[in-house]
Amino acid sequence: MAITREQRQNFTRISEPYKQQLDDLSREHSMLNGVLKQDAAMAPYVKIRQAMLSLQKSTLYIRLDAFSQKIQN
């Protein structure tokens, strides 16, 4: 099923805040990789935080998928 221009614009409008959040989470994840390289003693804490960030990103992707399906149907 092809989507219309209106559906695509609606999804873009709805998804923009989520994409910003995903970018922020990705930046934090990258920053934590730098911390890992600088201080090996922080590794357990950094790994836990990275796991939390990954779960947050997964949740946002699931929401985006739900919006996409809702708009297409």
Side-chain angles (χ1 to χ4, degrees):
M1 176 177 137
I3 60 172
T4 65
R5 176 181 282 210
E6 182 181 313
Q7 289 173 320
R8 185 172 294 150
Q9 289 172 343
N10 191 23
F11 178 73
T12 302
R13 180 182 50 80
I14 290 172
S15 67
E16 192 62 36
Y18 293 98
K19 290 182 180 181
Q20 291 291 331
Q21 290 177 3
L22 286 167
D23 289 342
D24 292 342
L25 293 172
S26 293
R27 277 193 291 277
E28 185 175 350
H29 197 275
S30 294
M31 187 258 324
L32 289 171
N33 283 335
V35 171
L36 269 178
K37 292 177 184 177
Q38 293 175 356
D39 189 1
M42 295 292 294
Y45 305 106
V46 169
K47 294 291 185 182
I48 290 171
R49 181 63 184 152
Q50 286 180 328
M52 291 170 58
L53 291 172
S54 294
L55 287 172
Q56 288 175 330
K57 285 173 68 173
S58 298
T59 301
L60 290 173
Y61 281 123
I62 290 170
R63 286 183 188 166
L64 286 173
D65 180 62
F67 286 137
S68 175
Q69 289 180 15
K70 185 176 179 181
I71 288 171
Q72 288 181 18
N73 294 335

